[in-house]
Amino acid sequence: MKKIALGIIGLATVATLAACGNANASSSSQLDKVKKAGVLKVALSPDYPPFEFQMIKNGKNAIVGSDVDLANAIGKKLGVKVQIESMDFNNVLASLTTGKADIAISGISKTPSREKSVNFSNVYYSSDNYLVVKKSDLNKYTSLSDFKGKKIAAQKGSIQEGIVTSQLKGAAEIALPQIGDEINEIKGGQVQGAVIEELIAKSYVAANPDLAISKVTLKMPKDSYGSAVALPKGSSELTKVVNSVIKEQLKNGQIDKDIQKNYALSEANK
Ligand code: ARG
């Protein structure tokens, strides 16, 4: 029995070493691949103002936001063009595994469980989460338990799903593909609220006077560390470049400036 167990551990070690070897090989090649192609493909879900959203620019639909600005700074550092790959948030992380994108910048929270399948840069932004409700319902909800038996939306594949299930005990969690769907379902009464990150919630509420931010507060989940850039597992060289850009932009205040600029842009867009 013991021998068999040791045999299995032996095999596991070999497999782990092999996996590490692969990871290292693909790490430099991910950077090489991008440089060779001359294009950095960036996955994002453009329903998240001020980080990524759509607006009409020079008569054409454009995807803009502070994450797009960050992507452009990374592209500049690498000397390559940036190509935005727009998709539902639920597909953003998977696009790194399938090769549809080289990196993902989409207000993505760095979490230990995601870290098992992707690389993360350092965190570039952190914020609280809010409960968005109908303005006419504002006074109905004064504590978390008032949401018992209610339907609360969260974006499919997001950490907000976990916030609903862990903090809003007794509420039914409704996972929806886009933030706009959550907004529409609150307005239509199919759900009674949605858990949305601070600036995004404020931006949508500003555009929808029939909605409001509930006074009921949510706790920051313990296992989420703020927004970071996600990269394919093992792409350590490219991760280093991304971290150098983030470090510089946190130091000189560029990220905050871009967030403010894009928040104003999203307001003007309404
Ligand atoms: N921060 C949350 C998460 O990573 C939600 C991000 C949603 N991003 C978006 N562009 N819709 O799970």
Side-chain angles (χ1 to χ4, degrees):
M1 189 58 206
K2 226 180 196 167
K3 246 187 203 157
I4 294 170
L6 282 176
I8 291 169
I9 292 169
L11 272 182
T13 313
V14 171
T16 313
L17 286 174
C20 286
N22 274 336
N24 283 335
S26 71
S27 74
S28 47
S29 69
Q30 180 69 5
L31 177 62
D32 290 347
K33 196 190 112 201
V34 168
K35 283 195 168 167
K36 217 179 198 169
V39 183
L40 179 70
K41 289 184 286 174
V42 183
L44 54 76
S45 164
D47 57 356
Y48 224 57
F51 298 96
E52 44 267 328
F53 57 102
Q54 312 201 38
M55 66 177 287
I56 305 291
K57 219 173 156 182
N58 306 325
K60 271 194 290 189
N61 197 33
I63 293 172
V64 297
S66 56
D67 282 348
V68 178
D69 295 337
L70 178 58
N72 286 330
I74 294 166
K76 196 169 165 199
K77 184 86 163 190
L78 293 167
V80 300
K81 279 200 303 233
V82 167
Q83 183 180 316
I84 301 295
E85 300 288 344
S86 172
M87 60 193 77
D88 282 351
F89 184 70
N90 195 34
N91 298 322
V92 165
L93 288 174
S95 75
L96 298 174
T97 332
T98 59
K100 188 164 170 36
D102 302 308
I103 65 173
I105 315 183
S106 197
I108 304 167
S109 306
K110 182 172 181 168
T111 71
S113 78
R114 288 173 175 171
E115 239 165 351
K116 287 181 195 146
S117 45
V118 297
N119 269 24
F120 274 112
S121 71
N122 297 328
V123 166
Y124 61 85
Y125 189 77
S126 289
S127 71
D128 287 331
N129 284 280
Y130 288 152
L131 267 159
V132 175
V133 297
K134 260 191 192 165
K135 193 178 247 166
S136 56
D137 283 349
L138 255 189
N139 297 325
K140 268 197 205 164
Y141 306 113
T142 55
S143 75
L144 285 172
S145 58
D146 292 337
F147 290 96
K148 222 176 245 166
K150 305 289 181 214
K151 288 183 179 147
I152 305 297
Q155 186 162 35
K156 197 164 190 222
S158 74
I159 62 152
Q160 282 70 30
E161 285 201 79
I163 295 177
V164 177
T165 49
S166 66
Q167 297 187 39
L168 290 159
K169 295 265 186 281
E173 193 249 336
I174 309 291
L176 298 172
Q178 294 183 10
I179 307 283
D181 303 325
E182 301 177 40
I183 298 301
N184 288 337
E185 296 215 354
I186 304 170
K187 290 161 86 81
Q190 293 96 327
V191 302
Q192 285 70 53
V195 173
I196 304 179
E197 243 173 279
E198 176 174 1
L199 290 179
I200 296 87
K202 285 184 175 159
S203 176
Y204 278 98
V205 165
N208 295 279
D210 52 334
L211 301 184
I213 289 168
S214 169
K215 291 175 286 280
V216 177
T217 56
L218 295 161
K219 284 196 293 282
M220 188 71 150
K222 278 192 274 314
D223 54 355
S224 152
Y225 312 135
S227 307
V229 176
L231 303 97
K233 192 85 192 155
S235 51
S236 55
E237 295 300 319
L238 189 54
T239 306
K240 266 186 212 150
V241 176
V242 171
N243 275 334
S244 74
V245 174
I246 289 175
K247 198 174 165 195
E248 195 181 306
Q249 295 215 348
L250 284 175
K251 208 170 152 196
N252 66 16
Q254 189 63 42
I255 292 193
D256 267 341
K257 250 184 251 166
D258 288 339
I259 291 172
Q260 278 172 34
K261 177 192 77 184
N262 282 286
Y263 190 85
L265 210 59
S266 79
E267 291 274 87
N269 194 27
K270 264 129 208 182

